[in-house]
Each structure stands twice: as structure tokens, then as C-alpha cells.
Amino acid sequence: NLQVMGDAGELYHPGQFLTAAERFDLGISIDRMVLRKVAHKISLLKSSQPDLRLSINLTEQFMNDGNMIEYLHEMIREFDIDAGMLFIEISEPVILQNMSRICQLSEEIAKLGCHLILDEIGVGFSDFHFLSPLSIRSVKISGDLIRNIHIPANHDYLISLCRTCHDQGISVTAKFVEDWLLLDKLRDIGLDFAQGFAIGKPLESLDKSIFGS
């Protein structure tokens, strides 16, 4: 989780920092920097950790950049990495606003060998027809939906979503699982994976020899 130190020593969290960065058209530059560091990190760890998978969230600006696929391909070649180790996450709001673009993008990403994850999926979708034309491996459920799983409508929604995803070979991950008692309930519903404080807290990589300059 990226945090930026302000002039007065105040920490700015990712949501604040990235919103300001996109307002000043810095989103694409930051995405390219992060993607390059991730590719570098994979190249350093691929021999010792052949099952390594790294997932990154990219901004809407980068998704709409006509050179995105070319840049991804360039990073894969430059660092000689297995594209299958790289997972790219796109959030629900971006999907809703750019459905035709995301359909095209998912095909191009799949051709490279990378994997696409739909992030922050929630009750914004009343049905799941949007999944069919997309070349995706996984979806991640909104934390708000998981926190309110006790509401019958949310519970039923998750059951239907899991059934549809599994029929299409798509795995389902619950986000913000902060109570380990939820795990059995999520397993019974059909979710495949969980992430959150109940599983483990996020760690920052401070090893410059791994993260690069």
C-alpha cells in the first residue's frame, strides 16, 4: 500500500494521493512506474519462486491509453518474465464506464499471457451477462458486500455470482474478510479465496535490492 509523505510530515493514503495524481494527468506515468517495478521484481524472484503471482491495480487513465498493451509487452520482453505471473485488476466503476473498451482490453491482455481480475464487484450488477464476453480469470467481491453478508439479498447475490462464475471457470475472492468466523460461511456460499485481516495484514516491501530504484 503506497503512502506519500506531505510537506508537513502528514501521510497521504493511496485514495487521496491517486485522486490528486489523476487530476493532474499523472495517472499513466505512475502506472508505468509501478508496472516497471513489478516486472523487475518478478524477474528477480522468478527463479526462486516459480509459482509467484503479482497483482496490480491500474488507473482508468492507463486503461484508456492506446499504448497500454504495447507497454505491457515491452516490460515482459525487457525483464524476460512469464506473463502468466502478472495479474491486472480493474475495478467495477471502470467496467461500468468502459464496457466495450474492457471487452477489447481483456482479449488483448489474455493474448499477452497476462490475467485480468475484475475488482470491487458488488450489487451494482443485477445480473452477470457482462462476464461472458470478458477473458478473465477471477473476480473480487466488494468489501461492503462481504461486511453485509447477513442481509438475505446480499447472501443470495453471492450464491448466484459464485455459481455463474464457476460455470465459466472464473474463481471468486472475498475482500476485507476481517473476521475469521466468516470463513466457513464464505466457503459454504462457494467463494474460492479470501483476503483481509483475518488472513493476514498487508506488508510493505522495503528491500531495495528487490524493488529496484
Side-chain angles (χ1 to χ4, degrees):
N1 290 328
L2 177 66
Q3 293 183 325
V4 177
M5 188 73 74
D7 292 337
E10 180 182 359
L11 282 176
Y12 292 89
H13 293 280
Q16 299 170 296
F17 168 70
L18 292 176
T19 297
E22 289 191 26
R23 187 165 63 247
F24 291 100
D25 293 325
L26 297 174
I28 293 177
S29 297
I30 292 172
D31 279 334
R32 289 193 174 201
M33 176 191 69
V34 171
L35 185 57
R36 185 177 187 85
K37 288 181 178 293
V38 168
H40 182 210
K41 189 168 187 176
I42 291 175
S43 71
L44 294 174
L45 297 176
K46 63 182 181 180
S47 297
S48 59
Q49 300 185 44
D51 295 327
L52 176 70
R53 301 290 183 270
L54 285 182
S55 179
I56 59 175
N57 294 89
L58 297 177
T59 64
E60 183 177 355
Q61 287 179 321
F62 194 60
M63 292 299 167
N64 289 321
D65 178 15
N67 296 319
M68 174 192 170
I69 296 298
E70 181 181 346
Y71 189 78
L72 268 173
H73 193 199
E74 179 183 329
M75 291 300 97
I76 292 168
R77 286 182 305 182
E78 179 178 344
F79 292 99
D80 189 27
I81 63 174
D82 178 359
M85 292 180 167
L86 183 59
F87 286 69
I88 295 170
E89 299 188 15
I90 305 177
S91 66
E92 177 180 289
V94 176
I95 301 166
L96 288 172
Q97 298 169 19
N98 303 273
M99 183 59 76
S100 59
R101 170 60 177 157
I102 299 303
C103 287
Q104 175 189 357
L105 200 58
S106 70
E107 292 181 6
E108 295 173 341
I109 289 174
K111 287 179 181 177
L112 279 181
C114 301
H115 303 294
L116 185 65
I117 297 175
L118 302 190
D119 192 17
E120 293 295 334
I121 298 300
V123 293
F125 292 107
S126 58
D127 58 57
F128 315 115
H129 68 278
F130 70 97
L131 291 171
S132 298
L134 297 175
S135 301
I136 59 175
R137 289 285 296 270
S138 178
V139 299
K140 289 187 175 182
I141 306 301
S142 165
D144 288 338
L145 197 59
I146 298 302
R147 292 190 188 100
N148 293 291
I149 197 173
H150 59 279
I151 298 175
N154 292 346
H155 184 272
D156 293 344
Y157 175 90
L158 286 174
I159 291 176
S160 298
L161 175 61
C162 287
R163 185 182 301 120
T164 301
C165 286
H166 292 160
D167 286 345
Q168 299 185 38
I170 300 170
S171 66
V172 185
T173 299
K175 297 182 63 176
F176 295 99
V177 180
E178 299 171 350
D179 183 352
W180 65 270
L181 295 174
L182 267 179
L183 294 177
D184 285 339
K185 181 177 292 186
L186 295 173
R187 189 180 295 111
D188 291 341
I189 287 175
L191 276 84
D192 304 289
F193 303 101
Q195 69 179 60
F197 286 174
I199 310 299
K201 295 185 178 181
L203 300 173
E204 293 192 28
S205 175
L206 300 178
D207 187 347
K208 292 185 178 181
S209 67
I210 292 178
F211 223 176
S213 56

